[in-house]
Amino acid sequence: MTDLLYSIRMRASANGAHISGSERLVSSERAEGIIRDMCGRAVSRGVMPDDITITVDPMTRESIQYEAALDFVSVQVSCVHEGRSFAVQMLEHIGVAPEAARYAVHIVGSGAAPSGANMRGAVIMDAQNGVRLEQDQERGVRVSRFDWTESAHRNVNRALSSAGFPHFRTQEALALASKVARAPGVLAELCWSDDPDYTAGYVSSARAGYMRIPFMKKPGDAHGGRVFFVDAQNTRLDVLITYLQSAAVLIRKVGSVRNSVEPHWALEHYASGSTHVRA
Ligand code: AMP
């Protein structure tokens, strides 16, 4: 094994509009297979891209920060209305102003870019007043340079699959959320996928962990996105964005994984001050 890891990023677009993207942080032995998978993914979304860009950056192992994954729970909601309402309540519990939480749900659900399209990256939002802070609202801020270590990847795959969540998107989102939750100034994250066939999303924070919400949109809806809520008064945006885009983070420890908790149970546990919702 060499001392280098490779940050590999893919983005695919058609007529300037984002179609899909992916980022990994892997050893040289795995790089070739990952690049092949990414090309397959770029052409798998039902829209043929006219641009696929793959960027490879070598990184030394000394530059890597190691973190533990957030604990994972799946919250039992039965429809989009319940899912979105739970997301807003959870964000409020974490410290996001209700108007900001509702506004975030609204923009992700209707295309957060000013053109009405999905963004390639995330919205950065002031948690107190809902003001958007990302410089480029069409593109947003894209988190890269994060992944599981190989053994953590095996463990998380096993843990999530046996709890009923075998989809690769869940593993990827949990790694991303685990990096974002440690970002300087980030209070919480809201996400749901732009894949029309994948209706799940989540709310996460360092204290709440990762709360998967199975219904954040209806099947067939191609809207999705991410919002990072920040404590804007006490956050240097340049430091935050450098961490999100450039800090190399490997997740080496898997947290607890728990299926089907009731929304009120998740909210009460969070309010009662337990650091994470433990299994
Ligand atoms: P996905 O879960 O891959 O369907 O992504 C859902 C949405 O989250 C995308 O439409 C983007 O707006 C945003 N997104 C995806 N990947 C990232 C990333 N690495 N960093 C920031 N935002 C992202």
Side-chain angles (χ1 to χ4, degrees):
M1 194 188 289
T2 68
D3 256 3
L4 290 179
L5 284 177
Y6 290 85
S7 157
I8 307 175
R9 288 175 287 150
M10 178 279 286
R11 62 189 163 85
S13 58
N15 297 319
H18 170 72
I19 299 176
S20 70
S22 174
E23 28 276 304
R24 302 295 305 270
L25 185 58
V26 296
S27 61
S28 59
E29 292 82 1
R30 297 179 64 212
E32 192 184 326
I34 298 284
I35 290 170
R36 233 183 267 122
D37 288 352
M38 283 181 173
C39 291
R41 198 152 149 180
V43 295
S44 70
R45 291 293 286 269
V47 182
M48 188 49 73
D50 55 29
D51 183 69
I52 302 173
T53 304
I54 293 191
T55 311
V56 179
D57 288 316
M59 324 212 47
T60 60
R61 282 182 193 268
E62 296 81 69
S63 63
I64 308 289
Q65 179 179 329
Y66 290 91
E67 295 287 354
L70 297 176
D71 287 341
F72 174 102
V73 296
S74 178
V75 181
Q76 209 168 23
V77 298
S78 54
C79 63
V80 177
H81 176 72
E82 265 185 46
R84 291 188 179 185
S85 148
F86 171 78
V88 169
Q89 285 181 71
M90 194 64 224
L91 287 167
E92 282 181 48
H93 271 55
I94 296 170
V96 176
E99 317 75 63
R102 283 195 292 268
Y103 178 55
V105 168
H106 169 71
I107 58 174
V108 172
S110 51
S115 63
N118 292 321
M119 296 164 74
R120 190 142 67 84
V123 173
I124 312 259
M125 186 175 282
D126 185 328
Q128 293 317 308
N129 55 24
V131 170
R132 289 174 68 163
L133 304 171
E134 75 280 10
Q135 278 216 324
D136 181 344
Q137 295 193 354
E138 204 58 41
R139 179 188 183 279
V141 175
R142 185 109 192 156
V143 185
S144 59
R145 299 187 176 175
F146 65 90
D147 213 319
W148 301 93
T149 62
E150 284 186 44
S151 65
H153 194 250
R154 279 193 295 278
N155 293 340
V156 78
N157 193 12
R158 198 176 311 123
L160 288 174
S161 298
S162 52
F165 307 106
H167 205 291
F168 71 89
R169 286 192 179 283
T170 317
Q171 292 166 28
E172 286 184 0
L174 180 56
L176 184 151
S178 300
K179 174 175 176 180
V180 170
R182 276 64 182 228
V186 168
L187 280 181
E189 177 182 350
L190 167 73
C191 166
W192 69 88
S193 178
D194 53 35
D195 182 339
D197 299 326
Y198 192 78
T199 62
Y202 63 88
V203 166
S204 61
S205 84
R207 183 165 155 239
Y210 180 108
M211 299 193 165
R212 179 182 193 271
I213 306 167
F215 304 109
M216 286 301 286
K217 66 176 187 183
K218 294 202 167 113
D221 180 350
H223 286 124
R226 279 188 158 82
V227 179
F228 303 153
F229 297 93
V230 299
D231 172 11
Q233 304 262 321
N234 300 304
T235 302
R236 273 193 47 195
L237 217 53
D238 57 338
V239 174
L240 168 62
I241 289 170
T242 301
Y243 171 86
L244 294 172
Q245 294 180 335
S246 307
V249 175
L250 278 180
I251 311 299
R252 71 171 157 199
K253 188 168 179 293
V254 178
S256 61
V257 172
R258 182 173 176 145
N259 199 347
S260 301
V261 307
E262 294 287 337
H264 67 85
W265 189 92
L267 291 164
E268 276 165 23
H269 258 69
Y270 182 80
S272 72
S274 61
T275 47
H276 282 216
V277 180
R278 293 242 165 244

